[in-house]
Amino acid sequence: MQLILISGSTRQASTNTAVLRSVQQMAPTGTVLELYTELAALPAFDPDADRDPLPEAVDRLRKAVASADGVLFCTPEYAGALPGSVKNLLDWLVGDVVLTDMPVAWINVSSVAAPTGGAGAHGELRTVLGYVQAGIVEEACRRVPMARTDVNDGVVTSPSLLAEFEQALRALSAAARRSAGE
Ligand SMILES: Cc1cc2nc3c(=O)[nH]c(=O)nc-3n(C[C@H](O)[C@H](O)[C@H](O)COP(=O)(O)O)c2cc1C
């Protein structure tokens, strides 16, 4: 069983990527958790380019998602909405039916001080994933406010936060296993 982990931040010291790196370290035996690292390599979505041969980074993205049994997102909010790079990634996946029925979830770690708590970004994620009829795993969608000080050496250090992420991972993994017929 394989999950792909997609961070919506390309920032070197990203808290969202740190969450996914920490989740990756929790992989139970028999589960592959792949951290997607090519968000910044994707060209701007162009319907005219959505045909063979696809831009290489898009081809790799589609193959990575198609070979996964589920997707976990962790994204910041920019200006009340999804980062443009994440919407762009989703736009490249919409034309393909790769996300339809696929178990998906997101962890929202916007800080408690964030004005909207990331509600705009995560609402948009729900809209787009709903549009493609992905299988949103509600139990795995978590709002877990986090501070930058909860990250050290690129991973999350707080045991209580890690416990929440593990619950989300368990719920998504269970749905992905069911969907993969395991
Ligand atoms: C241009 C910009 C716009 C932002 N807009 C919002 C916002 O609308 N709502 C919010 O909760 N945080 C906002 N933030 C704060 C980010 O969510 C915060 O910096 C977060 O830690 C970024 O995630 P990262 O650590 O994974 O890079 C914004 C940050 C930047 C750089």
Side-chain angles (χ1 to χ4, degrees), residues 9 11 14-16 76-80 114-116 118 148:
S9 173
R11 207 167 63 83
S14 162
T15 49
N16 288 275
E77 173 174 282
Y78 289 159
T116 63
R148 287 190 178 178

Side-chain angles (χ1 to χ4, degrees), residues 46-115:
D46 174 3
D48 286 341
D50 194 355
R51 62 165 73 105
D52 286 332
L54 286 168
E56 286 180 13
V58 175
D59 190 43
R60 284 193 295 273
L61 167 71
R62 287 202 181 158
K63 284 182 175 145
V65 175
S67 63
D69 302 298
V71 187
L72 180 63
F73 293 89
C74 194
T75 178
E77 173 174 282
Y78 289 159
L82 265 183
S85 55
V86 178
K87 180 61 166 56
N88 185 53
L89 175 146
L90 292 167
D91 288 344
W92 277 115
L93 295 176
V94 166
D96 208 43
V97 289
V98 72
L99 282 174
T100 304
D101 294 329
M102 179 169 284
V104 295
W106 54 87
I107 297 174
N108 171 359
V109 292
S110 300
S111 98
V112 273

Side-chain angles (χ1 to χ4, degrees), residues 1-3 27-32 69-70 103 169-182:
M1 202 274 289
Q2 183 166 340
L3 300 180
T29 312
T31 300
V32 177
D69 302 298
L169 174 62
R170 273 214 204 102
L172 180 60
S173 300
R177 275 207 187 84
R178 278 195 299 278
S179 161
E182 286 181 19

